[in-house]
Amino acid sequence: MDFDLSPEHELLRDTVRQFALEKVAPIAEELDREHRFPYEIVAELAELGLLGMTIPEEYGGAGTDTLSYAIAIEELTRIDSSVAITVAAHHSLGTLPIYLFGSEEQKRQWLPELASGRKLAAFGLTEPGAGSDAGATQTTARLENGEWVIDGSKIFITNAGTDISACVTITARTGDGEISALIVPNGTPGYVISAPMQKLGWRASDTRELSFQGARVPEGNLLGPRGEGLKQFLKILDGGRISVAAMGVGLAQGCYDLASAYAKERKQFGKPIAAFQAVQQKLVDIATEIEASRLLLYRAAWEKDQGRDFAQTAAMAKLYSGELSHRAANWALQIHGGYGFMDEYAISRLYRDQKILEIGEGTNEVQRMVIARHLGLPS
């Protein structure tokens, strides 16, 4: 059993960490304050090959393993969650459905632009009335003269409305008791994208509501077999939980970094507050839990790379890291005291960004349901 990262993984970690510190950190507060999508950062991430990491090189990707991808997301989130979720949602949710379930023709059509990062993809599962109960989708698609005619809506969709968004993959009812997946290109008549939604956190990421009003796409835009859409998307969510777990670990680490640095500089009663037992114990607890959470995350990524059933571990990693990030953000802000409540300190942004990690990709409650099923507990 070897817990060391390979030289390649260490190089990747150091490269992404340096990029995040040098390129993202100086403008993260500005992006958050202005609710501005980071086009310039996305372009540089594309040049680094980080927007199609696990997609094979033949389709324009980098051909890396899942562990490399998890490390990259962790390091980006350590500095800014908006940038990290832009990468994660594009890769694990937007692009992977086409790679895993698309025909060879669909892969050749879409993946080179998406894997290279020249274009972004979105994932349309959640609806106003179908969140945790994804099978309750009400969006419909009927086949008419060789085209799918789509009616319905999706909500809280990431990356759908940027200037470089290419498409969204959606679930829709294509018959009685039948949910299928479809690729809908941006610019399709009848496909309407709302203005950016205003959010508590992740303010520099793109989040939209989508509506389909008789939107027509070719019959060939069916993704995978008809009627398999929900099953496909639930499989995508298993992998997506590794992404969100990586964000949880990264955000917790970022909170620890800020709290530790502040505690060493801030003096009260004649000495740094890091010298006081109450503050030390909080920092020790955060550091210990981060190590445990990171090991669970890396195991989930390793299991996926080994071709094993990773769904239970991914759900555990997502659940634990999400709840850890909540504790870490709360403790870190408490250590900052009144200054942490001010937006001029980065911890306030991390505090706001944290909450969605307990909701997105399946709420904490849904994760416990998933884990319970894998443990063989009665339903």
Side-chain angles (χ1 to χ4, degrees), residues 125-127 129-138 154 171 173 179 230 233-234 237:
L125 177 62
T126 302
E127 297 184 2
S132 295
D133 184 9
T137 181
Q138 295 299 306
K154 302 290 180 178
T171 50
R173 292 192 174 278
I179 297 177
L230 183 60
F233 273 37
L234 292 179
L237 289 178

Side-chain angles (χ1 to χ4, degrees), residues 122-351:
F123 178 83
L125 177 62
T126 302
E127 297 184 2
S132 295
D133 184 9
T137 181
Q138 295 299 306
T139 297
T140 62
R142 68 181 188 277
L143 203 53
E144 184 179 285
N145 299 323
E147 293 181 314
W148 292 104
V149 183
I150 308 169
D151 292 284
S153 63
K154 302 290 180 178
I155 199 168
F156 310 139
I157 309 304
T158 305
N159 291 340
T162 75
D163 294 343
I164 55 174
S165 297
C167 63
V168 60
T169 56
I170 68 165
T171 50
R173 292 192 174 278
T174 50
D176 292 337
E178 179 182 276
I179 297 177
S180 303
L182 297 164
I183 304 172
V184 183
N186 279 51
T188 297
Y191 169 28
V192 181
I193 302 172
S194 77
M197 302 181 78
Q198 302 302 302
K199 309 185 295 291
L200 172 70
W202 288 5
R203 290 179 173 176
S205 73
D206 181 76
T207 308
R208 310 274 182 149
E209 183 171 4
L210 314 180
S211 65
F212 304 92
Q213 304 165 8
R216 292 176 175 267
V217 299
E219 183 177 357
N221 281 32
L222 181 71
L223 186 62
R226 180 169 175 168
E228 294 289 307
L230 183 60
K231 181 179 178 180
Q232 293 167 358
F233 273 37
L234 292 179
K235 183 175 180 180
I236 289 297
L237 289 178
D238 285 338
R241 285 169 185 145
I242 293 177
S243 299
V244 181
M247 293 189 69
V249 173
L251 189 138
Q253 183 67 63
C255 289
Y256 173 84
D257 294 343
L258 293 173
S260 178
Y262 182 82
K264 292 172 184 176
E265 296 172 358
R266 173 68 168 170
K267 291 185 177 181
Q268 290 290 277
F269 306 103
K271 55 184 176 180
I273 63 173
F276 294 105
Q277 187 178 48
V279 174
Q280 286 185 358
Q281 289 182 351
K282 283 185 171 63
L283 292 172
V284 167
D285 287 348
I286 296 172
T288 301
E289 290 200 60
I290 288 171
E291 288 302 314
S293 189
R294 183 176 287 119
L295 287 173
L296 190 56
L297 164 66
Y298 287 6
R299 173 167 177 166
W302 177 81
E303 286 179 350
K304 188 173 188 292
D305 287 333
Q306 296 298 312
R308 301 186 183 185
D309 184 355
F310 65 92
Q312 174 181 316
T313 313
M316 287 178 168
K318 193 272 179 186
L319 171 65
Y320 188 76
S321 70
E323 294 190 345
L324 163 61
S325 67
H326 177 93
R327 293 190 292 273
N330 189 56
W331 290 340
L333 195 147
Q334 186 72 17
I335 288 171
H336 279 76
Y339 289 107
F341 200 65
M342 302 297 112
D343 275 343
E344 63 187 280
Y345 280 75
I347 188 59
S348 72
R349 172 170 52 86
L350 271 66
Y351 187 89

Side-chain angles (χ1 to χ4, degrees), residues 20 24-25 28-29 31-32 38 45 73-89 158-159 199 201-206 243-244 246-252 254-255 325 346 349-357:
V24 182
E29 297 299 320
L31 293 172
D32 178 78
L45 289 168
I73 296 299
E74 177 188 345
E75 290 298 328
L76 290 173
T77 314
R78 193 170 180 170
I79 300 300
D80 184 62
S81 293
S82 290
V83 169
I85 190 56
T86 299
V87 176
T158 305
N159 291 340
K199 309 185 295 291
W202 288 5
R203 290 179 173 176
S205 73
D206 181 76
S243 299
V244 181
M247 293 189 69
V249 173
L251 189 138
C255 289
S325 67
R349 172 170 52 86
L350 271 66
Y351 187 89
R352 287 186 285 101
D353 286 341
Q354 180 281 323
K355 186 57 191 176
I356 190 61
L357 299 180

